[in-house]
Amino acid sequence: MSGRKRIQVDESEWSRLQRQARQLRKVQREIPQLIDAVRRQTSADLDRTFARVERRQAQHEALVGRLSDRTRQLEADTTRRLKQQAAELRGELAACAGQIREETRQRLAEQQDRVRREIASERAERRAETDRLSARIDVIDQDRAQAGRLVQTWLSDARAMTEAITGAGLHERYAPGELDRLTARLATAEQSATQGRFDAALAVAQETYHSLSELRAETEQRELERCTARMAAIDALATVEKEIEGSLSRPVLDPDGVPVEGCAVDVDYWSEGGLGRLREETANGLARARDDRTGTDELRLLLAQEAPRLEDALGDTVERACLRQLASQTRVNLADAVVQALGRNAYYEFVDGEYQGADPRGTYYAKLVHENGNEIVLDISQTGPDSGRHVVRVLSYDHDITAEAQLQERAEAIGRALADEGHPVSGAPASEPGAPDRKLLDIQGQRRGSALPAEGGS
């Protein structure tokens, strides 16, 4: 004879719970409040990012005033284009904050490519023009003093450009070693000029200047790409951060899937800290996106992989938390159905009920008594963490001797009652070996938090 009867609840009940929980995992990304919150949060990042760009542009504009007539117009045009490009990027990013989508990023990339081509084409024309003019210069043979001044003009412009590149500090990130190479060529031109070899010095000085100017323009363009990638990554991760804040609680659903007024699911509690861990991961991702040491490729990975991963994980976490809360409520519902059945069929009366250790995420116990002094404890748990089945254990503490057939009939009646309440069972009730633990009769002990191991292990 066994005082432990095990009733397996069918998986169809779990499927219903999953459908309800899935309704609550959806994240509302398009709501105006979320977009406004992201825009407010990222505006300081946008200001900080483009303040550096504008500072470098102002420094280069000051440099242009120091250049010779031969190069001033070229640099002024390039600076104007870069400044206009940065302003357009900033305006677009500000307008799309909280909604930077793939089409926005594609449009910005196309804009940057167009400006790069325009600058490259214009600079190629100026370089070719310089070459044509140099080919016609005959002062090298006629007036060495004038030739020396011409060479010094190009050398001065090249030194000013070297200073500008060094001050901007972008060359080591985007073209490591290139400035050293060009500086060495500049030294060669200066040496040739010192030796009076003005023809060789002029050719090298002009070529070096143009290479330096192109290096400056290219590194600025690369930095604008990084700024764009940075803001896109920050925008995506800040959106996830705000979604997490908006997912701290979710409505409690009744068996029909209707929100219960005044009740909410504490997602971090029911996910056992999962939401907090996601918040920490998102904060770490944002810190990487905001770090000036983070390169363009890593920023693009944060946007393309990390932000979507975190958003998917958020949905999973919310769904799992809601599913656990629904499953917890189901354990109470199952207990209620059994209590009703035992009341009708065996005249047992409900006395008390509590979760293991007063933690609603665990096993639920319900205690019933009969007027003859017999007692029953219902142990209702899942077969495993987040498993698809619940188990109802009927633990009988009878003072008199109860026949096995009577215990089995009692368990079968409970199974029928569960099915009638919409909780179909799988197979016939099964007996489990051993005697029920009498400590489980102390429901108050659970409420005080002196948790006991569940009979079947939950």
Side-chain angles (χ1 to χ4, degrees), residues 192-257:
S192 297
T194 301
Q195 296 170 350
R197 297 170 51 231
F198 298 127
D199 53 345
L202 180 62
V204 174
Q206 289 175 333
E207 171 61 29
T208 303
Y209 170 81
H210 283 297
S211 295
L212 286 165
S213 182
E214 288 163 3
L215 175 62
R216 182 257 165 180
E218 178 61 22
T219 53
E220 282 290 345
Q221 288 259 296
R222 296 280 296 278
E223 178 64 3
L224 283 177
E225 286 181 6
R226 194 185 76 88
C227 291
T228 304
R230 180 188 196 184
M231 288 309 305
I234 289 174
D235 185 272
L237 290 164
T239 298
V240 176
E241 187 175 67
K242 292 303 179 185
E243 289 169 351
I244 290 173
E245 290 179 12
S247 300
L248 294 174
S249 66
R250 280 287 189 264
V252 173
L253 300 182
D254 66 15
D256 298 321

Side-chain angles (χ1 to χ4, degrees), residues 38-57 86-87 89-91 93-95 97 227 230-231 234 290 292:
V38 173
R39 180 173 286 117
R40 288 192 300 272
Q41 181 171 342
T42 59
S43 63
D45 294 294
L46 190 66
D47 290 343
R48 191 162 44 248
T49 296
F50 280 89
R52 297 189 186 96
V53 174
E54 292 162 3
R55 198 156 46 241
R56 287 194 306 274
Q57 289 170 343
L89 284 173
R90 178 172 184 165
L93 290 168
C227 291
R230 180 188 196 184
M231 288 309 305
I234 289 174
R290 289 174 170 140
D292 286 336

Side-chain angles (χ1 to χ4, degrees), residues 343-357:
R344 288 192 304 268
N345 300 322
Y347 306 105
Y348 275 83
E349 181 180 350
F350 174 76
V351 175
D352 201 359
E354 184 57 87
Y355 291 96
Q356 182 181 14

Side-chain angles (χ1 to χ4, degrees), residues 324-361:
R324 288 173 177 174
Q325 191 279 330
L326 289 167
S328 175
Q329 183 59 48
T330 294
R331 291 193 281 280
V332 176
N333 295 343
L334 289 170
D336 184 64
V338 175
V339 166
Q340 298 299 322
L342 289 173
R344 288 192 304 268
N345 300 322
Y347 306 105
Y348 275 83
E349 181 180 350
F350 174 76
V351 175
D352 201 359
E354 184 57 87
Y355 291 96
Q356 182 181 14
D359 186 342
R361 294 169 295 189

Side-chain angles (χ1 to χ4, degrees), residues 329-432:
Q329 183 59 48
T330 294
R331 291 193 281 280
V332 176
N333 295 343
L334 289 170
D336 184 64
V338 175
V339 166
Q340 298 299 322
L342 289 173
R344 288 192 304 268
N345 300 322
Y347 306 105
Y348 275 83
E349 181 180 350
F350 174 76
V351 175
D352 201 359
E354 184 57 87
Y355 291 96
Q356 182 181 14
D359 186 342
R361 294 169 295 189
T363 298
Y364 182 77
Y365 297 105
K367 182 179 178 180
L368 301 89
V369 298
H370 195 277
E371 62 182 9
N372 66 6
N374 289 343
E375 297 173 297
I376 290 176
V377 171
L378 303 176
D379 168 338
I380 304 174
S381 61
Q382 289 175 278
T383 56
D386 298 325
S387 68
R389 289 185 177 182
H390 275 92
V391 173
V392 178
R393 290 181 175 84
V394 184
L395 311 176
S396 298
Y397 303 86
D398 293 350
H399 294 288
D400 51 3
I401 298 176
T402 305
E404 174 66 21
Q406 187 175 348
L407 292 173
Q408 185 68 20
E409 182 181 347
R410 178 188 296 170
E412 290 174 356
I414 290 171
R416 290 192 296 272
L418 289 172
D420 290 342
E421 291 291 327
H423 309 289
V425 300
S426 300
S431 297
E432 292 185 337

